Structures are given as C-alpha cells and as structure tokens.
Amino acid sequence: MRHRSSSRYGRYDGGPDPLAPPLDLSEALDSVADDVMAGYSPEQALREFLRRGGRTMTGLDDLAGRVQARRRDLLGRHRLDGTLHEVRRLLDEAVLEERKQLARDIRMDDTDRSFREMQLQGLPDSTAAAVTELAGYDWQSDTARRAYEQIKDLLGREMLDQRFAGLKNALANATDEDREAIAAMLRDLNDLLDRHARGEDTPADFEEFMARHGDQFPENPQDIDELIDILARRSAAAQRMLRSMTPEQREELLALSAQAFGSPALMEQLNRLDANLQGLRPGEDWTGSEQFDGEQGLGLGDGTGVLQDLADLDQLADQLSQSSPGSTLSDVDVDRLARHLGDEAAVEARTLDRLEKALRDSGLLRRGADGDLTLSPRAMRRLGTSLLQDAAGRLSGRQGQRDTRHAGAAGELKGSSRPWQFGDVESWDVTRTLTNAIGRTTAAGRDPAAGLRIEVADVEVQETEARTQAAVALLVDTSFSMAAEGRWVPMKRTALALHHLVSTRFRGDRLQLVNFGRYAGRLDIGELTALAPMREQGTNLHHGLMLATRFFRQHPTLQPVLLIVTDGEPTAHLMPQGESGPVALFSYPPEPATLRATIAELDRVGRLGAETTFFRLGTDPGLQGFLAAMARRVGGRVVAPDPEDLGAAVVGEFLRARSTFSPSSPWGADPDWPV
C-alpha cells in the first residue's frame, strides 16, 4: 500500500521570517562609509544608519516617533475619574429610586417618610461622604438597595483589579465564597512575601501557593521572583495612577476605598501587599505621575493598565534610543513593541536587528585592538569598487576626444585575451570581440547578418606585460575650509576611488596619500578614510610637496604623477628644523616667503619629470591665478570640477597622465573638464 503523507499548516508565530528576502548590505555600507568619511566613528555611523533607516527600511527614529505618538494618544484620550463617575451615577440612581419608593408607599408612617426624605435631602455633596453616610441606611426600595450594593461591589473589584489584572471581570456577581477566596489569597500572598523578605521561604512554599491560588494569576509565573515582578509593576502603576489624579479625586477615592466589598479588612490586606511589594522592588517607579487631559473616563483597573502601558512605552523608547553603553537592537522587546504598535512594527525592529548582526558578522566591520569598530579591508575594497564605478559613470558621461595615435599594446603581447574592465589601457582583441557579439546575437535567436551590435560584455582586450609603472602622489588639502565648505567627504571618496583603481588594476604602480593642513603627513587609505575634519588654519602645500618629492625619489624607476586637490592658496610653509623639530609658519594673506618656498619645492618636483595636475575647488580669483601660474611653471594642468565630480576628475586625470608615458593607452585626450 502506498502511504499518504499529510502536512499541517499553522500561523507563523515567531523568529526570523523564513521567507524574508536576504538583506542588502550595500546601502547600509555606503551610508556608514559616508558618515565615517564625514568624521563619525564606524560605531557612531552604524548607529546613525539604524536610527535613520534606509530607502525601504524603517529606522529607529520612526519607530520611536510612533511610540511617542501612542503615548500622546493615551494621555490625550483618557481621564482617571471613571470609577468616581460610576459611583456617583449609582449613588444618584439609588437615591432617586428610594425617593420614588417613599412617594408611592402609602402604608409608611408620614413621620418616618419625612425623616427619610430629610436624610436623602441632606446628603453631603461629596460622593465619598454620601456613600459613607448611607452605609447604615435601611433601604425601602429593593432597586435602590441593589444600586447601593453595586457601589461597594464595584469599589472592591476595582481595587483588586488595580493589583491583579483581570479580577474585575472575574469577580462580577461574586458570591460571599468568592470574596472569601480572594481574602484568603491575599492573606497567603502577604504571608509568602513576608517570608521571602526575611529569606525564610522555599521553592516548595511558592509551589504550594500556586497550587492553591494559581488560577488567579493568568501570567503563570514560574518562581517567586517572577511573581513579585508581575505584582510590583502593577502595584507601582496603581500608585502612579493615584498620584496622577487631582487632590480632590485622590481624597474622594481614598475615602471610598473603605467601602470596598463593605470590608475594611480587604483594604488592610491590599495596603499590606503594596508595602511588601515596594520593599521588595524599590527600583520600580512608585512616585511618578502623568497628565491626562482626555474625555474617556477610566476605572481604577483600566487606568492602572494604561499607566502600565505608558511605562512599557517609556521602556521601548529607551530601548529604541540605544543610548545605554553596549546596547544593541537585541535589547528591544519586540513582543512588547508588537503589543503596542502592531506586528508590522515588530517585523521592522527584527529587520533592523538582522541588519545590525549581518553587518557585524559579515566581515565588513571588525573590532580593533581598542575594542572600537573599524571598516575592514573587505569593506574598504567594496566601498572602493562602488566609488570607482561612480567615478567611471561620471567620467563616461563627459564629452571629449580620444587621441588614437598611440593605439596598440601597452607592452609585450602575451598572446591571450580577457574581458575588458574599466581602466584597461590594452588594445582590443577584435577577433574575440566580434566572435562574442556574434555568439550572443545567435543565442538570442537573431541573424547576425541583419545587424550586429557590440555590447560592453563582448569586448575583450589583448593581455600584455606592462613596461611602465607610475609613482602616484595624491595630495589632499585638509585645512578647515575643506570641511567648512562641504568638500571633506568628496575629497575622501576621491582618494578611495583612486586607491582602489591603482591597487586592483595598476598593481605595479605605487600610490602615496598625503594630507596637508598646517602640517603635511603621509596616511594610508584607512587612516585618511577615518580622518575627522580638522579645525586648524593653514594650507601647507610646501610641506606636502616635500613629502611628494621624497616619495618620488624613493621610486626612481617609476614615472612620477602628482595630483593636488586644494581649495586655498598656500598660507603656511615649513621653517628650518629647530630644537623641537620643524615649525610651520602660518600667515593670511600668504607671506611672500611662503609662496617662494612652495614654488621652489614645486620646481624640484618638476625637475623629476612629474605629470602634475591641480584640482581647484572653489572660485577664489587669487587661488585661480596662483594655480594657473604654478601649472604653467611645470607644464601641468588645472582642472576645476564640482566637488561631487572630483572623483571622476582625479581618476580621469590619472589615466590621462598615464597615457603620456604608456605608449598604448586609449585615454590619450583630455576629458572635457573646465580648465
């Protein structure tokens, strides 16, 4: 016989969504990297992305805003005098029914009737005082008596519902046996808490208590501490509700509480319970208050529940703020979030948690020796690829001519070919390129004879052994004006794109990154990427050129290429070394000595045969004239890109400069940048 297998399907009830698409880390990494380059630490940058969210991802700020909106809704919709209003309504009903009965009871003695009417007429305005005064009244109307008894029953159930959620409904139409069971539970509970406070309780005591009264605790606590936590949160919320009332409301309620179930002993047990819980959990908020200004009256139990909801929302807001040291999104109580904001909010929080863990576990971020997060080499490569692709896109969008006089091999042909990649300077393998295009066209069901279109994926280039490498010095201005004018991040993106191009495509080249502010210094790409905006005055191009000259001399067999990014004239130069080391002399406007020192060092670079390009950021006429004169002096160029186009400009100029000493480059002509 063939057995039939059956499957049962049910609602998905927790954990990561097995059908959720994989997380795309690209946007997060780009955002983190941009913030790092703007001066944030990687840890701060990650927090900022999680706070803002992405194009298709809700951030923590949005979730926190919805938490606050929910909080405002609760406060703006409710008021806390629901129980007092209900007691007043029942009292008025009882008095009215009693007066009706007195009026129609013809058998009653007139003196007795008049006395009773005077009692009812002379009731105090205070609801609590009137209820207390009628405690010994002999009701003639059964309807009035039932309404008055409902007051005591309502107060008892509300008082219990304040401490034990759900008991108000459970005790509707309660019998004397039900009330005695509650009284016994309170006595046993207080005795258990007393023993726990003295350290005399045992697990068996808790088990015995739950065996007798467990049906009163739908939360099903597993031990004494969990039971105390549940009760203390509720009791503290009840205290906050009391403090949130007006003094008049609070006074009325306290006076009415003695009438609960007509048993002062009940209030004694509840007061004892509150004292026990406050002693066991002093860390709960027992003294806070809220300002309610809505129209919907709440009873004591419901009001306490709202105060608990407000406390939950406050805890969620704190968790979503991630302000505590070492906090992570795993700290967010997603079940509580779903309860207050819906399942969608919980899914959004889980997605952010998955993203944070994926970024930390993907190898894109790693812990340094000091425990701080850093961008890993893998992240730097991935970011460099993205920035280089962006630069290539911007570069290809520019119109310009190509000088094909030098088309040919970049060195000795190896006899093989490979797919074209951005930055390739080798000549095309025409045969392989056409063969690829024909094969692709035929596979698509079209006749190549009807027309052949070559796509980028078809292009193959001849592999060669390069004969010429470059020593590239990229000098970037890190003076205060670069950060103040919004040029800091474009400068870093440019350096990262060029670094990635050289390290992946021109591996025989050498790249040196030099930053110059008041002083100049050599940096690796990781140090430059994480460099915070500097607030020091001074543009010491002289010092930067000295480091570039030293770098070129360290690589005498490589062709020197000098790329300088700046937005200001030189305002500092390096003085001869004194007792405490070299000193930078700063002056604005520039001193003639600063200009002379800078020009002298540029001449040294020029004598080494460096291909020099200045990238001018800004429109200052003084800077424009100075850089033009500097470029003419060494046969260089000045390019004036927009900051967002800086990366494409530097990459394009690097390739152009390389073409002047590489006999095969198809990048021979100048890109169409403003010069």
Side-chain angles (χ1 to χ4, degrees), residues 149-439:
E149 291 298 326
Q150 285 180 35
I151 292 176
K152 294 188 288 185
D153 184 68
L154 172 67
L155 289 171
R157 290 189 293 123
E158 289 280 11
M159 292 291 177
L160 288 170
D161 200 35
Q162 273 195 300
R163 278 77 172 182
F164 307 93
L167 278 188
K168 175 183 177 181
N169 295 328
L171 287 175
N173 302 315
T175 64
D176 291 338
E177 290 76 11
D178 295 329
R179 297 189 184 97
E180 179 53 36
I182 292 296
M185 183 272 289
L186 286 174
R187 288 193 298 271
D188 291 346
L189 176 58
N190 279 315
D191 290 342
L192 176 62
L193 295 181
D194 285 339
R195 290 196 300 275
H196 183 75
R198 296 192 302 267
E200 299 173 357
D201 65 315
T202 65
D205 293 334
F206 172 76
E207 296 295 337
E208 180 183 354
F209 174 82
M210 292 300 295
R212 296 178 61 186
H213 307 294
D215 56 338
Q216 307 292 344
F217 301 92
E219 302 90 347
N220 192 27
Q222 298 302 303
D223 54 40
I224 182 65
D225 288 315
E226 188 176 341
L227 174 64
I228 293 172
D229 288 339
I230 293 170
L231 294 175
R233 284 195 294 268
R234 186 78 177 178
S235 180
Q239 294 300 316
R240 293 195 301 275
M241 179 183 178
L242 193 64
R243 291 176 176 275
S244 300
M245 292 179 168
T246 66
E248 294 78 11
Q249 292 171 342
R250 190 159 52 244
E251 183 179 350
E252 285 279 287
L253 186 61
L254 291 174
L256 282 169
S257 63
Q259 302 298 323
F261 284 142
S263 171
L266 175 66
M267 283 309 302
E268 291 178 6
Q269 290 294 337
L270 290 177
N271 290 335
R272 181 186 170 195
L273 175 62
D274 289 339
N276 278 328
L277 294 173
Q278 190 164 354
L280 292 168
R281 292 293 185 270
E284 292 287 341
D285 183 6
W286 297 90
T287 60
S289 63
E290 299 288 350
Q291 184 65 46
F292 289 83
D293 54 6
E295 296 297 326
Q296 182 178 337
L298 292 174
L300 298 182
D302 292 338
T304 299
V306 168
L307 265 296
Q308 276 192 294
D309 288 345
L310 292 173
D312 284 351
L313 293 171
D314 288 341
Q315 289 185 8
L316 284 173
D318 182 64
Q319 293 166 1
L320 292 171
S321 72
Q322 296 287 281
S323 56
S324 301
S327 59
T328 67
L329 288 178
S330 300
D331 300 331
V332 177
D333 189 335
V334 291
D335 292 332
R336 185 176 295 178
L337 193 66
R339 188 165 63 251
H340 292 288
L341 298 185
D343 292 337
E344 182 180 352
V347 170
E348 291 165 346
R350 287 193 181 100
T351 300
L352 288 173
D353 185 28
R354 287 174 55 215
L355 175 67
E356 182 184 38
K357 291 177 179 176
L359 281 171
R360 294 180 185 275
D361 298 340
S362 64
L364 299 175
L365 299 174
R366 66 180 184 182
R367 290 284 175 188
D370 56 359
D372 292 334
L373 282 181
T374 60
L375 292 177
S376 69
R378 179 184 172 192
M380 299 292 288
R381 289 192 298 270
R382 184 167 175 173
L383 181 59
T385 300
S386 174
L387 295 174
L388 188 57
Q389 289 173 347
D390 179 68
R394 292 176 182 271
L395 188 61
S396 63
R398 294 287 180 175
Q399 299 295 322
Q401 305 177 26
R402 285 188 176 177
D403 188 348
T404 58
R405 290 174 298 169
H406 300 298
E412 298 296 333
L413 292 175
K414 297 170 64 176
S416 59
S417 64
R418 58 174 176 77
W420 176 87
Q421 297 178 354
F422 173 76
D424 281 341
V425 297
E426 292 86 356
S427 59
W428 287 17
D429 186 327
V430 178
T431 301
R432 291 291 303 167
T433 299
L434 291 176
T435 300
N436 292 339
I438 292 171

Side-chain angles (χ1 to χ4, degrees), residues 465-498:
E465 293 180 354
R467 295 185 304 219
T468 307
Q469 288 84 39
V472 186
L474 175 62
L475 277 59
V476 291
D477 188 345
T478 54
S479 61
F480 174 66
S481 59
M482 288 287 288
E485 298 296 332
R487 299 160 185 155
W488 194 261
V489 172
M491 173 269 291
K492 290 187 176 183
R493 294 171 68 93
T494 297
L496 195 53
L498 182 61

Side-chain angles (χ1 to χ4, degrees), residues 554-594:
Q554 290 170 348
H555 301 87
T557 62
L558 305 185
Q559 174 63 36
V561 176
L562 178 62
L563 307 172
I564 303 172
V565 178
T566 185
D567 70 346
E569 299 176 72
T571 56
H573 70 281
L574 211 59
M575 299 289 290
Q577 184 169 347
E579 294 181 359
S580 59
V583 177
L585 177 65
F586 167 75
S587 176
Y588 183 83
E591 289 279 352
T594 298

